[in-house]
Amino acid sequence: MGKSLSFITPSGRVTLGNYIGALSQWTAEPGNVYAVADLHGITTPWNPETLRSYIIEIASVLLALGLDQQGSMVYVQSHVPAHAEMAWLLECIGHMGEFQRMTQFKSKGKDRGDVSVGLFTYPALMAGDILLHDVDSVPVGEDQKQHVELTRDLALRANHLFGPVFTVPQPRVPGIGARVRSLKNPAEKMSKSVIDDGTVLLLEDADAIRRKFMTAVTDSGREVTYDPEAKPGISNLLEIAAALSHQSIEQIAAQYQNAGYGAFKRAVAEIAVETTRRVRQEALTLQSDPAEIVRRLDTGRRMAEAVANPKLRQVKQAMGFLLP
Ligand code: AMP
């Protein structure tokens, strides 16, 4: 497998869902690229102070996980101007029709009068993120697959028009991972944009995490068994406990089958607190030393620019910008 690229948008505080479904699976390996996608964080209205706090929080978590070690990099997208510039070049070879077909835009903004132009064009920014780093496969959820397909089309078109400048990437949709659901409403996914007691934040204190688990909704009956249809609340807790403790759902269910819901919830809360303790402490320690965060992000910026700037230059040369 080649190098891997993952961006996370600072559109809210980091949730336990982000940790289980994405962050905890990312690995520090030579050439891997991790970034805080702050330019993607402004496609909907934003507050500058809040945006800044989300960027710092996500950066502190990526660094606490050591994703800037072993030759892999962590940086903030806007610190590398090549991203914005590449997005413009790609917008100018993209077609209105293909962008209008993007289902994310259709579902999030199409019919709202005050929707930003950026929400419409952000697939070009995302295509630039991928193409600047010459990655050949991009791990994405089902909802982002269409954008990687658009990236392929833009890369093929550019290669056809201007010569072979881009590696054409493949979307890679990982097998179905745990999809963490709200503790209050297990019909919905746990989301950064819904902040209530159903959403556990990675960096909130241990007692707040315990309290949220203790007030999680459960189901009728008394047995702890895995049955997502009939017992969505208990099944969600089983999935969370299994993912965090690297055990199977069956193993956890067998262990707590007759323990009663209260004791089971207490046990899952402890698993959540303990398995995230190290990253939480490390991220909070980093946040108390912003200069260290800035220093490590700047190392990441330099590593990213060493790849992105020559690529942008090559593309601009092929497109007719650089003078002899
Ligand atoms: P988002 O917070 O939607 O920008 O997602 C950032 C990353 O976290 C993506 O890879 C998502 O698939 C993952 N993620 C977000 N929420 C959940 C969840 N509730 N369960 C599993 N993965 C999630």
Side-chain angles (χ1 to χ4, degrees):
M1 203 164 73
K3 66 182 186 180
S4 154
L5 172 141
S6 299
F7 279 42
I8 178 159
T9 305
S11 54
R13 296 196 59 193
V14 181
T15 69
L16 190 65
N18 294 137
Y19 180 74
I20 291 175
L23 301 167
S24 65
Q25 302 185 30
W26 294 356
T27 53
E29 282 165 52
N32 279 3
V33 182
Y34 299 105
V36 183
D38 55 347
L39 296 174
H40 288 278
I42 60 167
T43 55
T44 51
W46 75 100
N47 170 293
E49 276 315 312
T50 311
L51 177 67
R52 208 186 327 273
S53 73
Y54 292 161
I55 295 170
I56 291 170
E57 176 164 312
I58 293 184
S60 74
V61 171
L62 296 178
L63 296 172
L65 289 166
L67 294 172
D68 63 338
Q69 309 295 310
Q70 314 291 335
S72 88
M73 66 183 86
V74 170
Y75 69 102
V76 179
Q77 183 188 28
S78 71
H79 297 179
V80 176
H83 283 280
E85 196 170 348
M86 184 65 95
W88 176 252
L89 302 179
L90 294 171
E91 275 171 45
C92 292
I93 61 168
H95 299 156
M96 286 297 286
E98 63 193 350
F99 277 61
Q100 275 161 345
R101 280 199 295 278
M102 294 297 114
T103 54
Q104 284 275 306
F105 177 70
K106 285 197 227 174
S107 63
K108 284 191 185 159
K110 181 170 162 280
D111 297 321
R112 289 187 32 208
D114 60 352
V115 70
S116 76
V117 178
L119 190 67
F120 179 64
T121 59
Y122 92 84
L125 182 64
M126 178 170 162
D129 301 337
I130 297 166
L131 297 178
L132 274 176
H133 281 283
D134 262 340
V135 289
D136 39 33
S137 92
V138 189
V140 282
E142 205 48 63
D143 58 337
Q144 291 294 325
K145 194 165 159 233
Q146 198 188 25
H147 292 149
V148 180
E149 275 152 11
L150 175 66
T151 304
R152 284 175 64 77
D153 292 343
L154 294 173
L156 286 166
R157 190 171 309 144
N159 289 350
H160 174 70
L161 292 169
F162 309 112
V165 284
F166 289 128
T167 301
V168 181
Q170 293 277 3
R172 180 159 50 83
V173 180
I176 308 159
R179 190 163 184 79
V180 179
R181 296 167 184 285
S182 161
L183 301 186
K184 282 286 173 210
N185 178 9
E188 298 289 332
K189 110 173 190 186
M190 186 183 286
S191 161
K192 334 196 200 93
S193 53
V194 182
I195 294 303
D196 64 12
D197 280 355
T199 300
V200 177
L201 302 175
L202 186 63
L203 301 189
E204 66 191 332
D205 68 55
D207 283 342
I209 295 176
R210 290 191 185 97
R211 186 182 56 75
K212 286 183 178 175
F213 275 99
M214 291 316 290
T215 57
V217 297
T218 49
D219 311 294
S220 56
R222 301 196 58 247
E223 276 202 0
V224 175
T225 49
Y226 187 68
D227 182 345
E229 292 282 311
K231 295 195 171 207
I234 291 296
S235 299
N236 186 36
L237 294 173
L238 279 167
E239 287 184 28
I240 292 172
L244 289 173
S245 64
H246 304 289
Q247 295 184 68
S248 69
I249 289 172
E250 292 72 28
Q251 280 171 315
I252 306 271
Q255 213 175 325
Y256 295 100
Q257 191 171 6
N258 298 314
Y261 288 163
F264 173 58
K265 289 201 282 191
R266 205 166 302 119
V268 181
E270 282 320 307
I271 290 173
V273 166
E274 290 308 323
T275 54
T276 57
R277 185 185 295 283
R278 201 201 61 78
V279 64
R280 183 167 43 254
Q281 283 178 345
E282 181 78 23
L284 294 174
T285 304
L286 272 167
Q287 284 182 23
S288 65
D289 184 5
E292 175 67 1
I293 297 184
V294 169
R295 189 191 64 74
R296 285 171 68 178
L297 290 176
D298 203 50
T299 301
R301 175 192 62 76
R302 271 186 268 115
M303 290 171 77
E305 289 198 323
V307 180
N309 289 356
K311 174 54 67 177
L312 178 65
R313 192 178 164 79
Q314 180 198 359
V315 173
K316 286 173 74 177
Q317 173 84 42
M319 287 185 171
F321 284 103
L322 304 183
L323 300 180

CSV table of all heavy atoms in Angstrom, one decimal, residues 97-131:
chain,number,residue,atom,x,y,z
A,97,GLY,N,-21.4,21.4,-15.0
A,97,GLY,CA,-22.2,20.2,-15.0
A,97,GLY,C,-21.7,19.1,-14.0
A,97,GLY,O,-22.5,18.6,-13.2
A,98,GLU,N,-20.4,18.9,-14.0
A,98,GLU,CA,-19.9,17.8,-13.2
A,98,GLU,C,-19.9,18.2,-11.7
A,98,GLU,O,-20.2,17.4,-10.8
A,98,GLU,CB,-18.6,17.2,-13.6
A,98,GLU,CG,-17.4,18.2,-13.6
A,98,GLU,CD,-16.2,17.7,-14.4
A,98,GLU,OE1,-16.1,16.5,-14.8
A,98,GLU,OE2,-15.3,18.5,-14.5
A,99,PHE,N,-19.7,19.5,-11.4
A,99,PHE,CA,-19.8,19.9,-10.0
A,99,PHE,C,-21.3,19.9,-9.6
A,99,PHE,O,-21.5,19.6,-8.4
A,99,PHE,CB,-19.2,21.3,-9.9
A,99,PHE,CG,-17.7,21.3,-9.7
A,99,PHE,CD1,-16.9,20.7,-10.7
A,99,PHE,CD2,-17.1,21.8,-8.6
A,99,PHE,CE1,-15.5,20.7,-10.6
A,99,PHE,CE2,-15.7,21.7,-8.4
A,99,PHE,CZ,-14.9,21.2,-9.5
A,100,GLN,N,-22.2,20.3,-10.5
A,100,GLN,CA,-23.6,20.3,-10.1
A,100,GLN,C,-24.1,18.9,-9.7
A,100,GLN,O,-25.1,18.8,-9.0
A,100,GLN,CB,-24.5,20.9,-11.2
A,100,GLN,CG,-24.5,22.5,-11.1
A,100,GLN,CD,-24.9,23.1,-12.4
A,100,GLN,OE1,-24.9,22.5,-13.4
A,100,GLN,NE2,-25.2,24.4,-12.3
A,101,ARG,N,-23.5,17.9,-10.2
A,101,ARG,CA,-23.9,16.5,-10.0
A,101,ARG,C,-23.5,16.0,-8.6
A,101,ARG,O,-23.9,15.0,-8.1
A,101,ARG,CB,-23.4,15.6,-11.0
A,101,ARG,CG,-24.2,15.6,-12.3
A,101,ARG,CD,-23.9,14.3,-13.1
A,101,ARG,NE,-22.5,14.3,-13.6
A,101,ARG,CZ,-22.0,14.9,-14.7
A,101,ARG,NH1,-22.8,15.7,-15.4
A,101,ARG,NH2,-20.7,14.8,-15.0
A,102,MET,N,-22.6,16.8,-7.9
A,102,MET,CA,-22.1,16.3,-6.6
A,102,MET,C,-23.3,16.2,-5.6
A,102,MET,O,-23.9,17.2,-5.2
A,102,MET,CB,-21.0,17.2,-6.1
A,102,MET,CG,-19.8,17.2,-6.9
A,102,MET,SD,-18.9,15.6,-6.9
A,102,MET,CE,-19.1,15.2,-8.7
A,103,THR,N,-23.5,15.0,-5.0
A,103,THR,CA,-24.6,14.8,-4.2
A,103,THR,C,-24.5,15.6,-2.8
A,103,THR,O,-25.5,16.0,-2.2
A,103,THR,CB,-24.9,13.3,-3.9
A,103,THR,OG1,-23.7,12.8,-3.4
A,103,THR,CG2,-25.3,12.6,-5.2
A,104,GLN,N,-23.2,15.7,-2.4
A,104,GLN,CA,-23.0,16.5,-1.1
A,104,GLN,C,-23.5,17.9,-1.3
A,104,GLN,O,-24.2,18.4,-0.4
A,104,GLN,CB,-21.5,16.5,-0.8
A,104,GLN,CG,-21.0,15.2,-0.3
A,104,GLN,CD,-21.2,15.1,1.2
A,104,GLN,OE1,-20.8,16.0,2.0
A,104,GLN,NE2,-21.8,14.0,1.7
A,105,PHE,N,-23.2,18.5,-2.4
A,105,PHE,CA,-23.7,19.9,-2.6
A,105,PHE,C,-25.2,19.9,-2.7
A,105,PHE,O,-25.9,20.8,-2.1
A,105,PHE,CB,-23.1,20.5,-3.9
A,105,PHE,CG,-23.6,21.9,-4.2
A,105,PHE,CD1,-23.3,23.0,-3.3
A,105,PHE,CD2,-24.4,22.1,-5.2
A,105,PHE,CE1,-23.7,24.2,-3.6
A,105,PHE,CE2,-24.9,23.4,-5.5
A,105,PHE,CZ,-24.6,24.5,-4.7
A,106,LYS,N,-25.8,19.0,-3.5
A,106,LYS,CA,-27.2,18.9,-3.6
A,106,LYS,C,-27.9,18.8,-2.3
A,106,LYS,O,-28.9,19.4,-2.0
A,106,LYS,CB,-27.6,17.7,-4.5
A,106,LYS,CG,-27.3,18.0,-6.0
A,106,LYS,CD,-28.1,17.0,-6.8
A,106,LYS,CE,-27.2,16.4,-7.9
A,106,LYS,NZ,-27.9,15.4,-8.7
A,107,SER,N,-27.3,17.9,-1.4
A,107,SER,CA,-28.0,17.7,-0.1
A,107,SER,C,-27.8,18.8,0.9
A,107,SER,O,-28.6,19.1,1.7
A,107,SER,CB,-27.6,16.3,0.5
A,107,SER,OG,-26.3,16.3,0.8
A,108,LYS,N,-26.6,19.4,0.8
A,108,LYS,CA,-26.3,20.4,1.8
A,108,LYS,C,-26.6,21.9,1.5
A,108,LYS,O,-26.8,22.7,2.3
A,108,LYS,CB,-24.8,20.4,2.1
A,108,LYS,CG,-24.3,19.2,3.0
A,108,LYS,CD,-22.9,19.4,3.4
A,108,LYS,CE,-22.4,18.2,4.2
A,108,LYS,NZ,-21.0,18.1,4.2
A,109,GLY,N,-26.7,22.2,0.1
A,109,GLY,CA,-26.8,23.6,-0.1
A,109,GLY,C,-27.6,24.1,-1.3
A,109,GLY,O,-28.0,25.2,-1.4
A,110,LYS,N,-27.9,23.2,-2.2
A,110,LYS,CA,-28.3,23.6,-3.5
A,110,LYS,C,-29.5,24.6,-3.5
A,110,LYS,O,-29.5,25.6,-4.2
A,110,LYS,CB,-28.8,22.4,-4.3
A,110,LYS,CG,-29.3,22.6,-5.7
A,110,LYS,CD,-29.4,21.3,-6.4
A,110,LYS,CE,-30.3,21.4,-7.6
A,110,LYS,NZ,-31.7,21.4,-7.3
A,111,ASP,N,-30.5,24.4,-2.6
A,111,ASP,CA,-31.7,25.2,-2.7
A,111,ASP,C,-31.7,26.3,-1.7
A,111,ASP,O,-32.7,27.0,-1.5
A,111,ASP,CB,-32.9,24.3,-2.5
A,111,ASP,CG,-33.0,23.3,-3.6
A,111,ASP,OD1,-32.7,23.7,-4.7
A,111,ASP,OD2,-33.3,22.1,-3.3
A,112,ARG,N,-30.5,26.6,-1.0
A,112,ARG,CA,-30.5,27.7,-0.1
A,112,ARG,C,-29.9,28.9,-0.8
A,112,ARG,O,-28.8,28.9,-1.4
A,112,ARG,CB,-29.6,27.3,1.1
A,112,ARG,CG,-30.3,26.3,2.0
A,112,ARG,CD,-29.6,26.1,3.3
A,112,ARG,NE,-28.8,27.2,3.7
A,112,ARG,CZ,-27.7,27.2,4.5
A,112,ARG,NH1,-27.2,26.0,4.8
A,112,ARG,NH2,-27.1,28.3,4.9
A,113,GLY,N,-30.6,30.1,-0.7
A,113,GLY,CA,-30.1,31.2,-1.4
A,113,GLY,C,-28.8,31.8,-0.9
A,113,GLY,O,-28.0,32.3,-1.7
A,114,ASP,N,-28.5,31.6,0.4
A,114,ASP,CA,-27.3,32.2,1.0
A,114,ASP,C,-26.1,31.2,1.1
A,114,ASP,O,-25.1,31.4,1.8
A,114,ASP,CB,-27.6,32.7,2.4
A,114,ASP,CG,-28.1,31.6,3.3
A,114,ASP,OD1,-28.3,30.4,2.8
A,114,ASP,OD2,-28.2,31.8,4.5
A,115,VAL,N,-26.2,30.1,0.3
A,115,VAL,CA,-25.1,29.1,0.3
A,115,VAL,C,-23.9,29.7,-0.3
A,115,VAL,O,-24.0,30.5,-1.3
A,115,VAL,CB,-25.6,27.8,-0.3
A,115,VAL,CG1,-25.7,28.0,-1.8
A,115,VAL,CG2,-24.7,26.7,0.0
A,116,SER,N,-22.7,29.4,0.2
A,116,SER,CA,-21.5,30.0,-0.3
A,116,SER,C,-21.0,29.4,-1.6
A,116,SER,O,-21.3,28.2,-1.9
A,116,SER,CB,-20.3,29.9,0.7
A,116,SER,OG,-19.8,28.6,0.8
A,117,VAL,N,-20.3,30.2,-2.4
A,117,VAL,CA,-19.7,29.6,-3.6
A,117,VAL,C,-18.7,28.5,-3.3
A,117,VAL,O,-18.6,27.5,-4.0
A,117,VAL,CB,-19.0,30.8,-4.4
A,117,VAL,CG1,-18.4,30.2,-5.7
A,117,VAL,CG2,-20.0,31.9,-4.8
A,118,GLY,N,-18.1,28.7,-2.1
A,118,GLY,CA,-17.1,27.7,-1.7
A,118,GLY,C,-17.7,26.3,-1.5
A,118,GLY,O,-17.0,25.3,-1.7
A,119,LEU,N,-18.9,26.3,-1.0
A,119,LEU,CA,-19.6,25.0,-0.8
A,119,LEU,C,-19.8,24.3,-2.1
A,119,LEU,O,-19.7,23.0,-2.2
A,119,LEU,CB,-20.9,25.1,-0.1
A,119,LEU,CG,-21.5,23.8,0.4
A,119,LEU,CD1,-20.7,23.2,1.5
A,119,LEU,CD2,-23.0,24.0,0.9
A,120,PHE,N,-19.9,25.0,-3.2
A,120,PHE,CA,-20.1,24.5,-4.5
A,120,PHE,C,-18.7,24.0,-5.1
A,120,PHE,O,-18.6,23.0,-5.7
A,120,PHE,CB,-20.7,25.5,-5.4
A,120,PHE,CG,-20.9,25.0,-6.8
A,120,PHE,CD1,-21.7,23.9,-7.1
A,120,PHE,CD2,-20.2,25.6,-7.9
A,120,PHE,CE1,-21.9,23.5,-8.4
A,120,PHE,CE2,-20.4,25.2,-9.2
A,120,PHE,CZ,-21.2,24.1,-9.5
A,121,THR,N,-17.7,24.8,-4.9
A,121,THR,CA,-16.4,24.5,-5.5
A,121,THR,C,-15.5,23.7,-4.7
A,121,THR,O,-14.4,23.3,-5.1
A,121,THR,CB,-15.7,25.8,-5.9
A,121,THR,OG1,-15.4,26.6,-4.7
A,121,THR,CG2,-16.5,26.7,-6.9
A,122,TYR,N,-15.8,23.4,-3.4
A,122,TYR,CA,-14.8,22.7,-2.5
A,122,TYR,C,-14.4,21.4,-3.1
A,122,TYR,O,-13.2,21.0,-2.8
A,122,TYR,CB,-15.3,22.7,-1.1
A,122,TYR,CG,-16.0,21.4,-0.6
A,122,TYR,CD1,-15.3,20.3,-0.2
A,122,TYR,CD2,-17.4,21.4,-0.6
A,122,TYR,CE1,-16.0,19.1,0.2
A,122,TYR,CE2,-18.1,20.3,-0.2
A,122,TYR,CZ,-17.4,19.1,0.2
A,122,TYR,OH,-18.1,18.0,0.6
A,123,PRO,N,-15.1,20.7,-3.9
A,123,PRO,CA,-14.5,19.4,-4.5
A,123,PRO,C,-13.2,19.7,-5.2
A,123,PRO,O,-12.3,18.9,-5.3
A,123,PRO,CB,-15.6,18.9,-5.4
A,123,PRO,CG,-16.9,19.4,-4.7
A,123,PRO,CD,-16.6,20.8,-4.3
A,124,ALA,N,-13.1,20.9,-5.8
A,124,ALA,CA,-11.8,21.3,-6.5
A,124,ALA,C,-10.7,21.5,-5.5
A,124,ALA,O,-9.5,21.1,-5.7
A,124,ALA,CB,-12.0,22.5,-7.3
A,125,LEU,N,-11.0,22.0,-4.3
A,125,LEU,CA,-10.0,22.2,-3.3
A,125,LEU,C,-9.6,20.8,-2.8
A,125,LEU,O,-8.4,20.5,-2.6
A,125,LEU,CB,-10.6,23.0,-2.1
A,125,LEU,CG,-9.7,23.3,-0.9
A,125,LEU,CD1,-8.6,24.1,-1.3
A,125,LEU,CD2,-10.5,23.9,0.2
A,126,MET,N,-10.6,19.9,-2.6
A,126,MET,CA,-10.2,18.5,-2.2
A,126,MET,C,-9.4,17.8,-3.2
A,126,MET,O,-8.5,17.1,-2.9
A,126,MET,CB,-11.6,17.8,-1.9
A,126,MET,CG,-11.4,16.4,-1.5
A,126,MET,SD,-13.0,15.7,-0.9
A,126,MET,CE,-12.6,13.9,-1.0
A,127,ALA,N,-9.8,18.0,-4.5
A,127,ALA,CA,-9.0,17.4,-5.6
A,127,ALA,C,-7.6,17.8,-5.5
A,127,ALA,O,-6.6,17.1,-5.6
A,127,ALA,CB,-9.6,17.7,-6.9
A,128,GLY,N,-7.4,19.2,-5.3
A,128,GLY,CA,-6.0,19.7,-5.2
A,128,GLY,C,-5.3,19.1,-4.0
A,128,GLY,O,-4.1,18.8,-4.1
A,129,ASP,N,-5.9,18.9,-2.9
A,129,ASP,CA,-5.3,18.3,-1.7
A,129,ASP,C,-4.7,16.9,-2.1
A,129,ASP,O,-3.5,16.6,-1.7
A,129,ASP,CB,-6.3,18.0,-0.6
A,129,ASP,CG,-7.0,19.3,-0.1
A,129,ASP,OD1,-6.5,20.4,-0.3
A,129,ASP,OD2,-8.1,19.2,0.5
A,130,ILE,N,-5.4,16.2,-2.8
A,130,ILE,CA,-5.0,14.8,-3.2
A,130,ILE,C,-3.9,14.9,-4.3
A,130,ILE,O,-2.9,14.2,-4.1
A,130,ILE,CB,-6.2,14.0,-3.7
A,130,ILE,CG1,-7.3,13.9,-2.6
A,130,ILE,CG2,-5.8,12.7,-4.3
A,130,ILE,CD1,-8.6,13.4,-3.1
A,131,LEU,N,-4.2,15.7,-5.3
A,131,LEU,CA,-3.2,15.7,-6.4
A,131,LEU,C,-1.9,16.4,-6.1
A,131,LEU,O,-0.9,16.0,-6.7
A,131,LEU,CB,-3.9,16.4,-7.6
A,131,LEU,CG,-5.2,15.7,-8.1
A,131,LEU,CD1,-5.8,16.5,-9.3
A,131,LEU,CD2,-4.9,14.3,-8.6
